[in-house]
Amino acid sequence: NGILVKSVAEYNDAVSNAEPGDIIKLANGVWKDAELVFEGKGTEENPIKLTVEEKGKVTLEGASNLQIAGDHLIVEGLVFKNGFTPTNAVISLRKNKDEMANNCRLTECVIDNYNNPERQVQDYWITIYGKNNRIDHNHISGKKNLGVTMIVGLDTKDSRENNHIIEHNYFGLRPTYGNNGGETLRIGTSHHALENSNTLVASNYFDRCNGEHEIISNKSCQNTFKYNTFFECTGTLTMRHGNETMVDGNVFIGNGKPSTGGVRVINEKQTVINNYHFGLTGYRFRGAFVMMNGVPNSPPNRYVPVIDSKVNNNTFINCDHIQLCAGADAERSQPPATSEISENIFYHETKSNLFTVYDDISGIKFENNITSKNIETGITKGFVKSEFELVKNEQGFLVPVSDKFKVEISPNIATKENTGVDWYSKNDETVALNSGETLKVEPGINTLFDVTKNSKPGDILELESGGEYLLTKTAKIIHPLTFKTSGSEKATILFERMMAFEIQNGGSLSLDNIIFDGAKSPDYAGNSVISTSKNSMIENYKLFIDNCEFKDLIVNHSFDVLRVAKGTFADTISIQNSRFKNITGHIAALDKETDDIGAYNVEYLIMKNNTFSDIQGAALRLYRGGTDESTFGPFLEMDHNVADNVGQGKRNKYDASVSLYGVQEIGIKNNIFKDSKALNMHLVVGEPIVQISNNNFYNSQGLTVTGDQKYTVENQWSLNPNFM
Amino acid sequence: NGILVKSVAEYNDAVSNAEPGDIIKLANGVWKDAELVFEGKGTEENPIKLTVEEKGKVTLEGASNLQIAGDHLIVEGLVFKNGFTPTNAVISLRKNKDEMANNCRLTECVIDNYNNPERQVQDYWITIYGKNNRIDHNHISGKKNLGVTMIVGLDTKDSRENNHIIEHNYFGLRPTYGNNGGETLRIGTSHHALENSNTLVASNYFDRCNGEHEIISNKSCQNTFKYNTFFECTGTLTMRHGNETMVDGNVFIGNGKPSTGGVRVINEKQTVINNYHFGLTGYRFRGAFVMMNGVPNSPPNRYVPVIDSKVNNNTFINCDHIQLCAGADAERSQPPATSEISENIFYHETKSNLFTVYDDISGIKFENNITSKNIETGITKGFVKSEFELVKNEQGFLVPVSDKFKVEISPNIATKENTGVDWYSKNDETVALNSGETLKVEPGINTLFDVTKNSKPGDILELESGGEYLLTKTAKIIHPLTFKTSGSEKATILFERMMAFEIQNGGSLSLDNIIFDGAKSPDYAGNSVISTSKNSMIENYKLFIDNCEFKDLIVNHSFDVLRVAKGTFADTISIQNSRFKNITGHIAALDKETDDIGAYNVEYLIMKNNTFSDIQGAALRLYRGGTDESTFGPFLEMDHNVADNVGQGKRNKYDASVSLYGVQEIGIKNNIFKDSKALNMHLVVGEPIVQISNNNFYNSQGLTVTGDQKYTVENQWSLNPNFM
Ligand SMILES: [Ca+2]
Ligand SMILES: [Ca+2]
């Protein structure tokens, strides 16, 4: 009853003839564009199994996918990579709304970077329907396009009270998506929030699942989350909808990484116990622990108030933010009630004010919580200070030790080793900037093009001091590359195409100590020094500009420094210590996501110590449309920049030298604006954090703020800077 | 001295060793990514020649191009196709600014659809520098990306007074580009407008060169255009800059096609004689004859007033518009002076008012012009009416015959046959919608997907009356396809992906008698029934929707009917006799070109006899940014539509049911708006032609117009339409 199949036709034959106990094996090799349906009726004793000839030697590529429907079926060892599903799921535990999988097992399967190249086209990777299915020891890594990685669907009665078990799976890297729809696991939807799902999620390892705020979006009742490890994830296990959730014995490791979070509580009868949190730095909706305010008589798709919930015996080591009554606003006006926070331990080496209380906490009973000596909760009772040490336990966790309590972490806790499969690597293949070799580039025509073309990821292209480089072809940046002048006199790059550099999918760019001169650029509107691919980029990119000079970008109008496209997303754009002079366009207009569905173009934007002079367009335009609260970007930091005659061009439609819309965190300080257009900001979505201080607007329009009016302005001057 | 080379290395060897009289032959086959430099010094008697083993059997593909530099070089027989140049030119008559071609000949070469796939990335196809070069009998067809097809460059002294001869070339189809930069031939630039170029452009055939207003953009002095044929070109031979141009003996054949034009005169000492014009319908800057107003003391890059110019002995048969003092406005306030229009013949079978006079014509001497009896010029003297017949002459032209004059067309006139080469087809390969076979499609899951995938260009997919069709995969429209229900009950199409149809490069779509239902679409913001490719589309597309129904597009917000991407351009979008009900997004937001460099998304937009009800977004948003005057789109016609509760959704950022910006021609009549948002228009660029009549705004915002205030509104009502 072991049947080796070598083609989809043979496979289909085998499936349609399969009897209980049969084992169908996909032959070693690449299965391209294989849309497999695995259906049949096994028995508990004699399931029908789909597996592979040899594990790790069978891959499904191109437009492949799998649908499972029937009873007592086992799928094992399939690897999906180098392609993407043409339908809305890579692996679906149903064939259609009526034919689904029950008592089935999906085990030791791999889905690795199997992404639709269009980051804004949605799919799921695993959709779970039916009942009593077990999803275990799978390796699911690198989802980068729109859509939750794994869902449990409850859209028909036959998928509710399902008793699914999701365990020992390895959920690998999911980078910041830059919009809603980057969750890793969702159980239910708001439409079925009050149905019982009864799903157990146990001992799974979530490794940098950073897609959005919700690593896990719980949207149904009576689910249990146990012994899962969340490693450096910039989000929370969120009880978004539904009641009676049990969150017990999980571990959240932040290691001090930005925006790492823990558990977020909404709704009723939630239990959060025995969890361990370490080095979580996130705040607002990504705090180490967040209990939200609710909406009175909330519709199911808004925020049901917290009642009858219990937070007991959790440990927080060096976690920066505990947020109570979070999200309190005119709509979310109902604080938690008849709930308790008890016997938790809070330790912090340096920070004393961990707790932020946004509304009335009288509905929360605080009891027997313990804090380290330095912590001031501001909450009048239910906390005692205690002296204790941190000791690394045998599992490697730093736990507090005292004779008053004992912090234990279950031996069932997920580790990188005990999850996923052992025959598929969990290592990152990401190459960092500056990690490669240094390649010297001679001055001349297209020398830079040629060396770029032959470079390897991470390489550093070293230009000669004072050298002149002409690009008659655009240098395509297909992997991380650094360009720098060695020596004191910056090399100059000129270019005959509409852009010198084009960052393509997988590329990142660092520019250091170089002059860019627009003199040879074509006489057409819309040139730029750097452009992203005009096609969607599924990989986030990075751009660093340091100590560079951009001058005379004046051939025709709308000559920008950086021109990005819709469907591209930068983790970081950093522009520092650079000079920009005589430019007909913008320095950077990051506003190509005009659909207002919540997408934006960059997470962190940093501009420091730059001078901008005679710029007809804006120094910066940053736009985030829509009203989605699943993400926190963009973050903007502008510090010590000088703008001299910026934004005055008649084509500058932003009517500003810096124009911000929907940016979530804004720090603008120590900047000088002379003879320049305004700084304008439209504040929307959630509660943007806005700090404007020590800026000088001389003979310039000043600050204009529309939208929300919560922001801080300090020390705004209007002094003549007397540039020389 | 005939050297056959089989690789770029062999080629380079041959070139570097070439002696006068040598003939280097590229071996038959495909030369991929061949960047050839052809340099050398031949003599007048013994040139060095680059040719091919057999004409038509050698193609340069991929990232290939050619640079020619030296003396007495001949290039013959090269074919560029299936690729695009990595630099700014396919064939350049220089290697760099100092090393150029002189006394060289480029003959019998072909450049066929050799387009950068990014329509907004610029290149030229042939750049001519140096002196005394002859460019003859080349076939240059299908340019679709940004950038002039052929230029004569004057940027250094050694390229001026060049005596180049451009003759007997075939310039094939250049479709509407939808922005500036779609010229077919440009001689000089505004920077060198007052330099003499002395270029002869003779006996070339321009076949539907429709890129933009300027088929030819003359931008230097002392050039001659003789015996060229302009066949159905939607633009003019434009004397944009520079003086002393001779336009003699050319033929302009419009055949009644929209927007076809003739000659446009600007600047001084221009001579337009002996030209024949037939069936030209264009107006404004694309008239059969246009003499513009100028700017007093104009800078060279604006409009130098017409003086000392002569328009003599030209013939206009069935041409609709003669435009005098065109473009007159506050800036272009100086009418032509010391010029004459004499001895021209104007015949029109039906139209009597051909002449539009925008300013003072006292500076033009009209003398001895002859018109057919029906024509009323409105010009007091210089015209006599005459009776004459039209007779087809032996060349096939319909010429007026009378005993008072004789219209002759030179035997040197360009024809499709005597231009280009005879070994390369001039036939179009474009396939029309509905020109293929009818394929029946069974109802069911993905039956539509499968038949689409196996269809051929022009096929008609016939759906069953009342049938239900589910797409779990997006149907990609890669060539022209029609979907229609046969029978009285419309078939219904549902879809599980973010779009039912995706129009890809080369695709066009016609939908007839079908219901689209959004019920199965994914629960993510941003679905659409039809989407264009998110990547740039170099081919213009067409979309026809007739007699269809779109309903319940309400899964999540921003669910549009049509969603287009930047870098795509529709020749025509026609939506007629259709019903739209219950939709969370827009019907069509054609506003993705936000860079304001003059690009837009559609040329002709037609909405007739539709009903829109309960549409949260806009029925239409149409945007054209920038200030460019090289194009005339978009054109909008809205007639007999009913809007009931349209545009009231809180996410409708246009705050309108119809929102127009920069649209060039607007006809909105016989529409009813009930309980709907406004019709808003921002009028800019040139002089948009705007006619708003017989519209009823009941309990709705009305018409708001910003920008220019030249428009016509007639019969605006506010009556209760009493829908049942
Ligand atoms: Ca979310
Ligand atoms: Ca133009």
Side-chain angles (χ1 to χ4, degrees), chain A residues 15 54 77 107 111 125 131 216 251 284 343 374 380 456 483 509 516 606 638 652 663 721:
Chain A
V15 169
E54 285 177 89
T107 186
I111 308 180
W125 277 9
K131 295 191 184 197
I216 295 178
V251 163
R284 299 167 76 194
E343 298 176 322
N374 60 321
T380 49
K456 299 208 167 50
F483 296 78
L509 180 61
F516 291 88
I606 300 153
M638 285 196 78
N652 177 13
V663 178

Side-chain angles (χ1 to χ4, degrees), chain A residues 180-181 183 212 214 630:
Chain A
N180 183 32
E183 303 91 346
E212 57 146 275
E214 300 176 62
S630 291

Side-chain angles (χ1 to χ4, degrees), chain A residues 35 65 84-89 95-97 116 118 120-124 146-148 180-181 183 186 189-191 445-446 449 472-474 476 496-499 502 520 522-526 533-536 557-558 563-564 566 591-598 623 626-628 650-651 653-654, chain B residues 35 65 84-89 95-97 116 118 120-124 146-148 180-181 183 186 189-191 445-446 449 472-474 476 496-499 502 520 522-526 533-536 557-558 563-564 566 591-598 623 626-628 650-651 653-654:
Chain A
E35 294 189 66
N65 62 15
F84 60 98
T85 179
T87 58
N88 68 11
K95 198 177 150 191
N96 55 49
K97 261 198 167 161
N116 194 306
E118 285 296 336
Q120 296 178 357
V121 170
Q122 174 268 349
D123 55 38
Y124 303 117
L146 174 61
V148 189
N180 183 32
E183 303 91 346
R186 192 186 73 213
T189 64
S190 58
H191 306 295
I445 299 179
N446 287 334
F449 177 90
T472 75
K473 301 186 261 189
T474 297
K476 312 265 176 167
E496 288 190 356
R497 305 293 284 142
M498 293 187 80
M499 63 286 285
E502 189 174 274
K520 301 240 174 181
D523 191 5
Y524 281 89
S533 166
K534 277 150 197 73
N535 298 345
S536 175
H557 68 81
S558 306
R563 187 174 280 264
V564 305
K566 183 171 151 63
D591 62 348
K592 305 308 175 193
E593 298 295 346
T594 56
D595 293 333
D596 290 356
I597 55 172
Y623 182 93
T627 58
D628 187 72
K650 67 176 196 295
R651 291 178 185 275
K653 65 177 169 180
Y654 310 126
Chain B
E35 294 190 67
N65 62 16
F84 60 100
T85 179
T87 58
N88 67 10
K95 197 178 150 191
N96 53 50
K97 261 199 168 162
N116 195 306
E118 285 295 337
Q120 295 177 357
V121 170
Q122 173 270 347
D123 55 39
Y124 304 116
L146 174 61
V148 189
N180 184 32
E183 304 90 346
R186 192 187 72 213
T189 64
S190 59
H191 305 296
I445 299 179
N446 288 334
F449 176 90
T472 75
K473 302 185 259 190
T474 297
K476 312 264 176 169
E496 288 189 357
R497 305 292 283 142
M498 293 187 79
M499 63 286 285
E502 189 175 274
K520 302 238 174 182
D523 191 4
Y524 282 88
S533 165
K534 277 149 196 72
N535 299 345
S536 175
H557 68 81
S558 307
R563 187 174 281 264
V564 305
K566 182 171 150 63
D591 62 348
K592 304 310 175 193
E593 298 295 346
T594 56
D595 292 334
D596 290 355
I597 54 172
Y623 182 92
T627 58
D628 187 72
K650 68 177 196 293
R651 292 177 185 274
K653 64 178 169 181
Y654 310 126

Side-chain angles (χ1 to χ4, degrees), chain A residues 446-467:
Chain A
N446 287 334
T447 49
L448 210 48
F449 177 90
D450 294 335
V451 179
T452 300
K453 198 168 173 185
N454 296 318
S455 66
K456 299 208 167 50
D459 282 352
I460 298 144
L461 282 73
E462 198 174 86
L463 282 58
E464 277 188 17
S465 184

